[in-house]
Amino acid sequence: QILSGGALDEGAIEDLEAVLLGADIGVEATERIIERLRASTGGAAGAADYRRIIAAELLLIIGETPKPPPPAGAPRVIVVIGVNGVGKTSTIGKLAYRLKSEGSSVLLAACDTFRAAAIDQLELWAERAGVPLVRQQMGSDPAAVAFDAVQAARSRGIDVVIADTAGRLHTRVNLMDELRKVFTVLSTRMEGVGLEGWLVLDANTGQNSLRQAEAFTAGLPITGLVLTKLDSTAKGGAVIAIQQKLRIPVLYVGLGEGIDDLAPFDAEEFVAGILG
Amino acid sequence: DLSDKFARVFKELRGQGKVREAHVQSAMREVRRALLEADVNYKVARDFVARVSERSLGQAVLASLTPDQQIVKIVHEELVSLLGARNAPFNLSGNPAGIMIVGLQGSGKTSFAAKLAVHVRKKGRRPLLVAADIYRPAAVEQLSVLARQISAPVYAPGTDRSVVEIVEGGVREARRQLCDTVIVDTAGRLHVDRGMMKEIADAKRALGPEETLLVLDSMTGQEAVRVAEEFLREVDFTGVVLTKLDGDTRGGAALSVASVTGKPIVFACVGEKPDDLEAFYPDRMASRILG
Ligand SMILES: Nc1nc2c(ncn2[C@@H]2O[C@H](COP(=O)(O)OP(=O)(O)OP(=O)(O)O)[C@@H](O)[C@H]2O)c(=O)[nH]1
Ligand SMILES: Nc1nc2c(ncn2[C@@H]2O[C@H](COP(=O)(O)OP(=O)(O)OP(=O)(O)O)[C@@H](O)[C@H]2O)c(=O)[nH]1
Ligand SMILES: [Mg+2]
Ligand SMILES: [Mg+2]
């Protein structure tokens, strides 16, 4: 089928639109990408060219957000947040193991003082990673545990504190306030810590990931995203819209349930995963 | 919302005389967009729009003085009929009756097991919880803590036995404790993990359950179709449980799963506590999906 100048291969465009939608990129972001594709390609281009143009576009969106250096201060404190079941606790275990293998000393803070066996779960990960854990009773104040942990890290000269928090839906105002308090206590009562928050998102989640990102980053120092469960068949395309709107980089991806299943985010691999 | 969008479509086109196919096509584009924004799988959305489009091109709409309202009604009706398809009551007739809980990682299975135990107890049954997740750190402890919180017996022999052995042990334990309902919590697994899917098929054979429930996170995106299809093929479930409906996700995954598998959505989870379980209401879900 020969395309005359100016004629677009509508079949190929429809196929690519289906790929983008199927990757959870969302209808608005997909429309814009397809619009720009139509505008930027002349006639006589076909499926392969369209794919290349879209890949470049996605790479521009997802790859252009710079990874900021960790905030100045010691110890470095990473508070891991996100909705229920996305993989916060597992990610912390994997991250502790990775940072330790990269030469940092790490301490974990069990600030999920609510969910059944949450502290036990983190404790097992701490053992696996070979790092110390600071914990209190179930039901204790998460901010108090965080404070304790950072104080312990300070006195022991530990480089990084990673705090696990309870899963919470961003629609629960009281739970979001509780989270804000953890950050406030650390930033106001712990002089000189390098405080940051990482938001964990599940690659299986659809457009709600964007709602989550907007809600969790409002008024909190969120410097990075972790996208888990990319070993599933879901493509995690919701992070495209998140990049466009919030410019927060994806730092790591979760690729399974083992301690080694955490990898630094690779934009090219991610885009290749979407476009196949 | 969709009603307003339709009203605008028909108002804009009103000057062009009687309602025609163009009006309906424009309205259908709005429907498709609303469904995609709600995470309905794009193929499911396409098929759904095709059905609604056909009905909307009938005389009831074209001859109506309020065609936009007619179409909204059709969309809502079609959604409800798909979501409420085959609303079979939850079947608990065996002794012990077995219920197996399966699904992806983190979907809410363990929490749901406790909620289900509370629910069947209200119906006069005596549940035994069975901790068959031998992989996730402290999964057995999690179910044991929940069981203690709701004062229900739990069979949790630890992680040194196989899942099949734990299921068989659970049935024996139910008989021993005079429990008439065995609720088996299993590990989260990927629908494409052949080994893990085989494990659950073997466990199901050992349990011979009356109900196998797929627990699905209501914020699941496009992949909900594939997840449901794989679980249907490898395990064959009897019902679906939607979790985390207390959030603000539109929940289009519900339509995807219902229309692709034809299985009923039997429960809605609306919180973390053992009491946060509701029956599933198709009309409420339809309104939620349409935004
Ligand atoms: N396949 C896969 N499973 C994962 C990944 N990350 C976490 N999981 C699994 O997802 C489930 C939930 O993980 P958790 O670490 O407990 O999640 P969480 O966010 O801490 O959960 P809550 O504290 O209850 O909110 C567990 O079964 C994990 O093994 C991943 O990258 N891939
Ligand atoms: N807000 C809310 N949270 C829920 C709901 N159902 C479960 N959760 C939470 O979601 C998280 C995951 O629940 P689990 O019961 O551990 O999920 P799971 O499917 O057993 O996880 P795996 O065993 O790791 O696959 C926990 O934090 C639960 O408290 C719900 O309906 N609403
Ligand atoms: Mg956790
Ligand atoms: Mg579980």
CSV table of all heavy atoms in Angstrom, one decimal, chain B residues 50 91 101 114 146 163-164 168 186 207-208 222 231-232 257 265 275 278 283 286:
chain,number,residue,atom,x,y,z
B,50,ALA,N,-20.0,-0.1,21.3
B,50,ALA,CA,-20.7,-0.6,20.1
B,50,ALA,C,-22.1,-1.0,20.5
B,50,ALA,O,-23.1,-0.8,19.8
B,50,ALA,CB,-19.9,-1.8,19.6
B,91,ASN,N,-22.3,-19.2,47.6
B,91,ASN,CA,-22.7,-20.6,47.9
B,91,ASN,C,-21.9,-21.2,49.0
B,91,ASN,O,-20.8,-21.5,48.9
B,91,ASN,CB,-22.5,-21.4,46.6
B,91,ASN,CG,-22.7,-22.9,46.9
B,91,ASN,OD1,-23.4,-23.3,47.8
B,91,ASN,ND2,-22.1,-23.7,46.1
B,101,ILE,N,-9.0,-18.0,48.4
B,101,ILE,CA,-8.9,-16.6,48.1
B,101,ILE,C,-7.6,-16.5,47.3
B,101,ILE,O,-6.5,-16.8,47.8
B,101,ILE,CB,-8.8,-15.8,49.4
B,101,ILE,CG1,-10.1,-16.0,50.2
B,101,ILE,CG2,-8.6,-14.3,49.0
B,101,ILE,CD1,-10.1,-15.3,51.5
B,114,ALA,N,-10.1,-12.2,56.7
B,114,ALA,CA,-10.6,-11.9,58.0
B,114,ALA,C,-12.0,-11.3,57.9
B,114,ALA,O,-12.9,-11.6,58.7
B,114,ALA,CB,-9.7,-10.9,58.8
B,146,LEU,N,-4.8,-11.1,62.8
B,146,LEU,CA,-6.2,-10.8,62.4
B,146,LEU,C,-7.2,-11.7,63.0
B,146,LEU,O,-8.2,-11.3,63.5
B,146,LEU,CB,-6.3,-10.7,60.9
B,146,LEU,CG,-5.6,-9.6,60.1
B,146,LEU,CD1,-5.7,-9.8,58.6
B,146,LEU,CD2,-6.1,-8.3,60.5
B,163,VAL,N,1.8,-25.9,50.3
B,163,VAL,CA,0.5,-25.3,50.3
B,163,VAL,C,-0.6,-26.4,50.3
B,163,VAL,O,-1.6,-26.3,51.0
B,163,VAL,CB,0.3,-24.3,49.1
B,163,VAL,CG1,-1.2,-23.9,49.0
B,163,VAL,CG2,1.2,-23.1,49.3
B,164,VAL,N,-0.4,-27.4,49.5
B,164,VAL,CA,-1.4,-28.5,49.5
B,164,VAL,C,-1.5,-29.2,50.8
B,164,VAL,O,-2.6,-29.5,51.3
B,164,VAL,CB,-1.0,-29.6,48.4
B,164,VAL,CG1,-1.8,-30.9,48.5
B,164,VAL,CG2,-1.2,-29.0,47.0
B,168,GLU,N,-4.9,-29.4,53.1
B,168,GLU,CA,-5.4,-30.7,53.6
B,168,GLU,C,-5.4,-30.7,55.2
B,168,GLU,O,-6.4,-31.1,55.8
B,168,GLU,CB,-4.5,-31.8,53.1
B,168,GLU,CG,-4.7,-32.1,51.6
B,168,GLU,CD,-3.7,-33.0,51.1
B,168,GLU,OE1,-2.6,-33.3,51.7
B,168,GLU,OE2,-4.0,-33.6,49.9
B,186,THR,N,-4.2,-17.3,50.4
B,186,THR,CA,-3.0,-17.8,49.6
B,186,THR,C,-2.1,-16.6,49.3
B,186,THR,O,-2.4,-15.4,49.5
B,186,THR,CB,-3.4,-18.4,48.3
B,186,THR,OG1,-4.0,-17.5,47.4
B,186,THR,CG2,-4.4,-19.6,48.6
B,207,LEU,N,-8.6,-28.8,48.1
B,207,LEU,CA,-9.6,-28.2,48.9
B,207,LEU,C,-11.0,-28.5,48.4
B,207,LEU,O,-11.9,-28.7,49.2
B,207,LEU,CB,-9.4,-26.7,49.0
B,207,LEU,CG,-10.5,-25.9,49.8
B,207,LEU,CD1,-10.4,-26.3,51.3
B,207,LEU,CD2,-10.3,-24.4,49.7
B,208,GLY,N,-11.2,-28.6,47.1
B,208,GLY,CA,-12.5,-28.8,46.5
B,208,GLY,C,-13.5,-27.7,47.0
B,208,GLY,O,-14.5,-28.0,47.5
B,222,GLN,N,-5.5,-1.2,32.9
B,222,GLN,CA,-5.9,-1.9,31.7
B,222,GLN,C,-5.6,-3.4,31.8
B,222,GLN,O,-6.3,-4.2,31.2
B,222,GLN,CB,-5.0,-1.4,30.5
B,222,GLN,CG,-5.3,0.1,30.2
B,222,GLN,CD,-6.7,0.2,29.5
B,222,GLN,OE1,-6.9,-0.5,28.5
B,222,GLN,NE2,-7.5,1.1,30.0
B,231,PHE,N,-6.3,-16.0,35.4
B,231,PHE,CA,-6.8,-16.7,36.6
B,231,PHE,C,-8.0,-17.5,36.3
B,231,PHE,O,-8.2,-18.6,36.8
B,231,PHE,CB,-7.2,-15.7,37.7
B,231,PHE,CG,-6.0,-15.3,38.6
B,231,PHE,CD1,-5.2,-14.2,38.4
B,231,PHE,CD2,-5.8,-16.1,39.8
B,231,PHE,CE1,-4.1,-13.9,39.2
B,231,PHE,CE2,-4.7,-15.8,40.6
B,231,PHE,CZ,-3.9,-14.7,40.3
B,232,LEU,N,-8.9,-17.1,35.4
B,232,LEU,CA,-10.0,-17.9,35.0
B,232,LEU,C,-9.6,-19.2,34.3
B,232,LEU,O,-10.1,-20.3,34.7
B,232,LEU,CB,-10.9,-17.1,34.0
B,232,LEU,CG,-12.3,-17.7,33.8
B,232,LEU,CD1,-13.2,-17.7,35.0
B,232,LEU,CD2,-13.0,-17.0,32.6
B,257,VAL,N,-13.5,-6.8,34.2
B,257,VAL,CA,-13.5,-8.2,34.6
B,257,VAL,C,-14.9,-8.8,34.5
B,257,VAL,O,-15.0,-10.0,34.0
B,257,VAL,CB,-13.1,-8.2,36.1
B,257,VAL,CG1,-13.2,-9.6,36.7
B,257,VAL,CG2,-11.6,-7.8,36.3
B,265,ILE,N,-19.4,-10.1,40.7
B,265,ILE,CA,-18.6,-9.4,41.8
B,265,ILE,C,-19.4,-9.6,43.1
B,265,ILE,O,-20.6,-9.1,43.2
B,265,ILE,CB,-18.5,-8.0,41.4
B,265,ILE,CG1,-17.7,-7.9,40.1
B,265,ILE,CG2,-17.7,-7.3,42.5
B,265,ILE,CD1,-17.6,-6.5,39.5
B,275,ASP,N,-14.6,-5.2,59.7
B,275,ASP,CA,-16.0,-4.9,59.4
B,275,ASP,C,-16.2,-4.2,58.1
B,275,ASP,O,-17.3,-4.0,57.7
B,275,ASP,CB,-16.5,-4.0,60.5
B,275,ASP,CG,-16.8,-4.8,61.8
B,275,ASP,OD1,-17.3,-5.9,61.6
B,275,ASP,OD2,-16.6,-4.3,62.9
B,278,GLU,N,-18.8,-5.0,52.3
B,278,GLU,CA,-20.1,-4.7,51.9
B,278,GLU,C,-20.5,-5.6,50.7
B,278,GLU,O,-19.7,-6.2,50.1
B,278,GLU,CB,-20.3,-3.3,51.3
B,278,GLU,CG,-20.1,-2.2,52.4
B,278,GLU,CD,-20.2,-0.8,51.7
B,278,GLU,OE1,-20.3,-0.7,50.5
B,278,GLU,OE2,-20.1,0.2,52.5
B,283,ASP,N,-25.4,-0.8,40.6
B,283,ASP,CA,-25.8,0.5,40.2
B,283,ASP,C,-24.9,1.6,40.8
B,283,ASP,O,-24.6,2.6,40.1
B,283,ASP,CB,-27.3,0.8,40.6
B,283,ASP,CG,-27.6,0.5,42.0
B,283,ASP,OD1,-26.7,-0.2,42.7
B,283,ASP,OD2,-28.6,1.0,42.6
B,286,ALA,N,-21.8,1.5,38.7
B,286,ALA,CA,-22.0,2.1,37.4
B,286,ALA,C,-21.9,3.6,37.4
B,286,ALA,O,-21.2,4.2,36.6
B,286,ALA,CB,-23.4,1.7,36.8
